[in-house]
Amino acid sequence: MNETAARYARLSEAFADLVKRVPQERWGAPSPCEGWTALDLVGHVVDTQGMFLGLVGRELGDVPSAAADPAASWDAARAVVLADLTDPGRAETGFDGYFGRTTFAAAVDRFVNFDLVVHRWDLARAAGLDERIDPDDVRWARGAADSFGDSLRSSGVCAA
């Protein structure tokens, strides 16, 4: 498994573990992401997987809705992305992205893996669960954030 796929596998599994531990009564709790509940946050992360697949002409397919079953929805979505990351032909599919020409794998590593670190913290906070994240993942995410430049603070991306 390549480095990007391994990082995605590890981070997506950590997110899955957290989703499964959210108490039922906390799904409607506000998240640190303004206007989003814990459930909205999981829906966003699932939708992001589909958005990045769409950049290379692929789809998530038939996954359960996050609103109906957040854990099943996340597990199904991440399985599709991981399958594409572990297939060299699919992983290296190129497209013209916001920051120029890139590949599916590079975009997942730069953006989706970043999202998995940040939104894991957001979800833990909303759910009242342990929000500690491995310091190596925090350092890695900080490096990714720095690479976004001013785009990080664009409308709808990251708040201060």
Side-chain angles (χ1 to χ4, degrees), residues 79-157:
V80 175
V81 172
L82 187 57
D84 276 18
L85 288 174
T86 56
D87 177 316
R90 288 181 174 265
E92 294 307 311
T93 302
F95 69 97
D96 293 315
Y98 183 82
F99 291 101
R101 190 83 182 150
T102 192
T103 65
F104 178 72
V108 166
D109 202 28
R110 187 173 188 188
F111 301 102
V112 176
N113 283 341
F114 170 80
D115 245 19
L116 290 173
V117 173
V118 172
H119 287 318
R120 188 169 85 219
W121 182 87
D122 293 331
L123 183 59
R125 173 67 57 111
L129 299 171
D130 183 0
E131 57 197 49
R132 288 177 291 177
I133 295 175
D134 183 292
D136 289 337
D137 288 339
V138 172
R139 278 189 287 282
W140 178 88
R142 177 56 193 238
D146 290 346
S147 78
F148 300 148
D150 292 339
S151 297
L152 183 66
R153 301 295 180 209
S154 299
S155 177
V157 181

